[in-house]
Amino acid sequence: MAELVPGSNQPLPDGTLTIRVPGPFDLSALVTGDDGKVTGDNDFVFFNQPTTPGVQVHGDTITVRPGQLRPGASRVTVVVSPADPGTPLGRLPAPVMSITGSGSGSGGNTPLACFAPPRPGTETVLLLAEIYRRGTRWKVRAIGQGYADGLAGVARDFGVDVADDGTADPQPTPPPTTGDAPALALVNAARSRHGVPPVTLDPRLTRAAEAHAAAMAAHGALGAESPDGTSLFHRVAASGYIPLTLTEHLVSGPRTPDAFIDYCLSDGERGGPFRDPAVAHVGIGSASGAGDVFWTAVWAQPFTPDGLRRLAAEVIALTNAERAAARLAPLAPDPRLTTAAQAHSDDMVARDFYSHTSPEGGQPWDRAATAGAIHRGIGENIACGQRGPAEVVRGWMNSPGHRANILKADFTHIGIGYATGSRAGTYWTQLFGASR
């Protein structure tokens, strides 16, 4: 059974999933699509509305049947709150989640994963984990994100229409420090001038941006990673947002949203997200510290299986363009090499490492063989941190060893893997095979 940490994920088998969190808690679930929003109140499952297609809440247990979710559903977010409303989670035993699975003919539940999040403090709600679809398979991602404004605040962030009952929040949420609305208006005005669609503020990206800006302000230095090893991309993953592409701005100095946006637009490369039609969501945060103002903006395109296929196809096209320039035959996509390459990118994100060698000692040819790709020769390029296909292929071509793989005449087939998260944000794998 896998022991999850915040931001990590674990593949799930087909069949029924049982999620249990024993203790003095109430469990809830939110059913959403790739945009992270519900389609109606029926997507919020809790003690007063315990069932919806594919999800049932009963006491300390949530049952999820992914194959029975409503059309368009791709995520089920598990939420835990105190059974006694208003009691901070820090006063209760730490919640521990376990997941078991049972498929047809399994004869019982098989332990799959467990998650013990960092002990909450004053929060009254915890986004515990997310069951989500990646391609045709389902996974679980550990989150551990706390809320101070109760289930109503969580529900509103996910798009549920929650009526105000006149009661006070146990700990009111402080007003935003970023001036999100003015900043968004400036962003979309700039995008309009470039003829691209507007973006929307995503609450998950905003939470990640605010947390990262606060961490930079606390240490008085810009950086994608805090001294404790938590990166901006860890924060994005913990928020529950799954990006296909993401770009960040980490800036110190500007005192207002106007000045921050002006700075981003003052340079062609920095201004890229303002011209990119693929960017759909943004999160902006700022914090004061060390006599300065620190800003974080996260720009993202949400993950979709079709988007991943298009991105991989672009990497292959750029790779083959380099081979054509060297008068070499193009590489043909191989689905088995693709499976192995994708598994390695996913693994590097999930277990927070960057290497051709897995923690157990597995090598590229081992992964290819496991996926059923039997080739006379195997080669692998990996990269992390690059924000798009053109950047990653250019980086490989500027490296003698990686360039040699791309331009090796013996190679005939290729598979591409790509995943987001962990320390660097993006993890790329290029797996080559030579015909027998």
Side-chain angles (χ1 to χ4, degrees):
M1 180 168 62
E3 294 186 4
L4 304 177
V5 298
S8 66
N9 59 55
Q10 170 74 16
L12 297 171
D14 295 333
T16 300
L17 305 171
T18 301
I19 302 160
R20 184 168 181 259
V21 184
F25 307 111
D26 283 333
L27 288 184
S28 310
L30 290 137
V31 181
T32 64
D34 288 339
D35 62 355
K37 297 293 185 181
V38 300
T39 59
D41 291 350
N42 286 339
D43 284 345
F44 186 22
V45 190
F46 63 114
F47 53 86
N48 278 342
Q49 183 173 269
T51 62
T52 199
V55 181
Q56 181 176 22
V57 175
H58 180 71
D60 65 2
T61 299
I62 294 177
T63 302
V64 179
R65 297 177 176 86
Q68 298 179 20
L69 294 173
R70 63 162 174 80
S74 59
R75 303 180 191 174
V76 178
T77 302
V78 178
V79 182
V80 64
S81 58
D84 180 15
T87 301
L89 286 166
R91 296 182 187 173
L92 301 176
V96 177
M97 179 190 75
S98 62
I99 302 180
T100 57
S102 60
S104 57
S106 66
N109 279 352
T110 301
L112 301 174
C114 64
F115 176 45
R119 186 175 183 85
T122 60
E123 296 94 337
T124 57
V125 172
L126 198 64
L127 300 186
L128 199 55
E130 176 182 67
I131 308 297
Y132 68 99
R133 186 174 60 223
R134 189 72 180 255
T136 60
R137 302 304 302 272
W138 288 84
K139 293 186 173 186
V140 58
R141 185 192 307 278
I143 300 176
Q145 173 72 43
Y147 272 71
D149 49 353
L151 278 176
V154 175
R156 289 189 187 98
D157 271 1
F158 280 76
V160 179
D161 186 12
V162 180
D164 187 355
D165 62 5
T167 59
D169 286 333
Q171 180 176 323
T173 302
T177 60
T178 62
D180 285 343
L184 182 64
L186 293 167
V187 166
N188 283 332
R191 287 177 66 85
S192 177
R193 291 194 296 272
H194 288 287
V196 296
V199 293
T200 59
L201 283 170
D202 186 278
R204 296 160 297 175
L205 294 179
T206 297
R207 288 195 297 273
E210 289 174 343
H212 196 72
M216 291 193 300
H219 294 96
L222 291 174
E225 187 174 322
S226 300
D228 65 358
T230 302
S231 78
L232 170 61
F233 315 109
H234 285 129
R235 302 184 204 280
V236 171
S239 78
Y241 189 100
I242 305 174
L244 178 68
T245 62
L246 75 167
T247 305
E248 71 284 355
H249 284 125
L250 306 177
V251 177
S252 63
R255 299 287 169 176
T256 65
D258 306 56
F260 169 66
I261 299 299
D262 286 345
Y263 173 79
C264 293
L265 289 170
S266 66
D267 176 83
E269 185 174 352
R270 277 199 303 270
F274 295 85
R275 304 185 300 271
D276 187 351
V279 172
H281 299 129
V282 66
I284 303 174
S286 70
S288 298
D292 210 342
V293 178
F294 292 82
W295 295 83
T296 299
V298 186
W299 314 79
Q301 176 185 4
F303 173 86
T304 64
D306 284 345
L308 178 60
R309 284 190 287 270
R310 287 193 300 270
L311 184 144
E314 187 174 350
V315 174
I316 293 174
L318 291 167
T319 299
N320 279 334
E322 297 292 348
R323 288 178 65 88
R327 301 182 182 277
L328 294 171
L331 302 172
D334 183 324
R336 295 160 298 183
L337 290 176
T338 298
T339 296
Q342 187 61 50
H344 190 54
S345 287
D346 286 340
D347 193 30
M348 287 191 290
V349 168
R351 295 198 283 177
D352 210 2
F353 75 97
Y354 176 66
S355 174
H356 292 285
T357 305
S358 73
E360 296 81 16
Q363 299 294 333
W365 42 89
D366 299 321
R367 294 188 285 272
T370 298
I374 308 300
H375 288 271
R376 180 167 52 83
I378 292 291
E380 183 180 80
N381 288 343
I382 60 174
C384 67
Q386 293 80 6
R387 295 297 181 249
E391 184 180 347
V392 73
V393 173
R394 184 170 61 248
W396 280 328
M397 288 299 293
N398 288 335
S399 166
H402 298 95
R403 178 187 178 91
N405 272 339
I406 289 174
L407 300 183
K408 187 170 182 177
D410 288 348
F411 286 147
T412 55
H413 293 81
I414 189 172
I416 302 298
Y418 171 79
T420 59
S422 195
R423 296 176 186 271
T426 60
Y427 290 77
W428 307 78
T429 302
Q430 202 177 35
L431 197 59
F432 305 91
S435 293
R436 296 183 63 84

